[in-house]
Amino acid sequence: MKILIERSTVLEIIDYKSFPQPLGVGAVGMVFGKVSNGLTVNFFSELIYPFHLDADGKPSISSQFALNAIRYSATSEVLVAVQYLQGHGWFESDVEFFISGEDPFDELQARGWKSERGSSDDWGVAERVDMAFYLEDVVGELELNGNEFSKEWYYAKISHLYFSDVEVPDVAMTMGVLLAQLWWRADVGDVAERGQANSAALQKANSARKKHSKAQSEGKNKVISEYWFEARAELGNEVMRRDSNAAQAIYAIAMRKRPKQLLIKATGEVIGVEAIRKRVSALRKLEKIG
């Protein structure tokens, strides 16, 4: 659907997805679109509220709305991503995502997100690491259910990268590539989003998946911690002080013992050394290991 705004400016609504249930802030869905002005094209994503819908329940938005929704910073892009995931049941409705600080020193945080060590009003290393663990398992859950390359998968992948390795330069590039792929797929046609059509059933399924993902993450962390201490007893503190060494040692133990928590369900293989290294690094920050 294309709407002519001015002689050279065109607003195009690419897609609109309603949420199974409204967010705590009242948003009922998310609109995806682009604004073209000559050769310049900008994509945008934004939450939609009831007053943005017409009599048929479709978005009725202005060019100014679209221009205000254009996101340029990585933090703003990830805010859109987690809001979309929240609208599809991956976060409780009382979790509030917000941007703290000014660009380029801004950071995405969440109120109401409780880690193992903190309260729901805290935000620090423990909460950030816990969020990264959770999002990693959301990605795995989506892939396990055949939903790779869906909007949920792209947004979960982007969000996981942000919370796990935002300080690494090439991660920002990877996030940009994923966003470009998402917009290209949305622009040429609907992104395949398999799932149950019934909203109540979808919400119930997502609630169960959230608990399953959380349990999966805790299981992986427990086994990796146990193997870290086992390897330290054999190899010594100096060797295990480096994340890369520790990951290799843990991987060797996992290959021998093959714990179900560290096996990829689709292939039966042990998760890779790099995946273990990232968790070792995060567990060290949480002081779960030395």
Side-chain angles (χ1 to χ4, degrees):
M1 176 175 64
K2 294 187 177 181
I3 305 170
L4 185 63
I5 304 302
E6 296 172 354
R7 189 185 334 188
S8 59
T9 302
V10 176
L11 165 64
E12 181 179 351
I13 297 176
I14 296 173
D15 196 10
Y16 169 66
K17 295 295 183 186
S18 60
F19 296 148
Q21 66 178 28
L23 301 187
V25 294
V28 295
M30 182 168 285
V31 66
F32 304 87
K34 68 178 180 181
V35 179
S36 304
N37 191 304
L39 296 177
T40 302
V41 177
N42 287 299
F43 291 96
F44 66 90
S45 310
E46 188 58 281
L47 293 175
I48 288 292
Y49 294 82
F51 54 82
H52 290 132
L53 302 177
D54 61 20
D56 297 322
K58 297 180 179 179
S60 177
I61 58 176
S62 65
S63 60
Q64 192 60 49
F65 174 95
L67 292 170
N68 290 339
I70 294 171
R71 314 283 177 165
Y72 294 105
S73 72
T75 309
S76 295
E77 295 286 6
V78 179
L79 176 61
V80 169
V82 292
Q83 287 175 332
Y84 184 83
L85 293 172
Q86 184 178 31
H88 285 74
W90 289 105
F91 295 99
E92 300 298 337
S93 60
D94 57 353
V95 175
E96 180 187 354
F97 292 98
F98 64 97
I99 295 175
S100 176
E102 297 294 330
D103 184 60
F105 304 106
D106 53 352
E107 179 188 10
L108 184 61
Q109 299 183 5
R111 296 186 186 94
W113 175 262
K114 186 176 181 180
S115 72
E116 291 182 33
R117 297 178 44 149
S119 73
S120 59
D121 294 325
D122 294 332
W123 184 263
V125 173
E127 287 69 35
R128 186 183 184 91
V129 170
D130 188 64
M131 181 73 76
F133 282 152
Y134 175 69
L135 287 163
E136 180 183 18
D137 288 308
V138 170
V139 172
E141 195 73 23
L142 289 166
E143 291 173 351
L144 187 63
N145 287 280
N147 287 325
E148 56 267 41
F149 305 116
S150 65
K151 278 193 179 78
E152 283 178 90
W153 180 86
Y154 274 109
Y155 279 148
K157 192 87 170 174
I158 290 163
S159 302
H160 170 248
L161 285 170
Y162 175 83
F163 284 107
S164 60
D165 286 319
V166 69
E167 69 277 5
V168 181
D170 63 348
V171 167
M173 181 179 293
T174 303
M175 289 168 59
V177 169
L178 288 169
L179 282 166
Q181 290 177 357
L182 171 60
W183 282 118
W184 177 80
R185 292 173 69 91
D187 200 21
V188 298
D190 287 339
V191 177
E193 294 193 59
R194 308 173 189 87
Q196 302 176 58
N198 185 280
S199 295
L202 179 61
Q203 189 68 20
K204 184 177 179 181
N206 280 342
S207 178
R209 288 190 294 179
K210 281 187 293 185
K211 293 178 182 178
H212 180 61
S213 294
K214 190 76 172 176
Q216 273 188 323
S217 185
E218 291 172 354
K220 287 178 184 175
N221 292 343
K222 182 179 179 181
V223 171
I224 288 173
S225 296
E226 290 175 355
Y227 288 179
W228 186 90
F229 285 105
E230 183 178 332
R232 187 182 68 170
E234 179 182 349
L235 303 173
N237 283 328
E238 193 61 35
V239 172
M240 297 302 288
R241 196 163 288 154
R242 291 177 60 88
D243 291 347
S244 56
N245 291 345
Q248 290 285 354
I250 292 168
Y251 180 75
I253 296 173
M255 287 292 288
R256 186 171 71 250
K257 296 187 175 182
R258 297 184 57 79
K260 65 178 182 179
Q261 295 91 335
L262 301 186
L263 296 181
I264 302 170
K265 288 184 179 180
T267 64
E269 298 176 355
V270 175
I271 63 174
V273 174
E274 181 60 17
I276 294 174
R277 185 198 65 76
K278 288 182 178 180
R279 286 189 175 253
V280 166
S281 176
L283 289 168
R284 208 186 297 277
K285 290 179 183 177
L286 294 177
E287 300 178 355
K288 299 284 188 180
I289 57 178

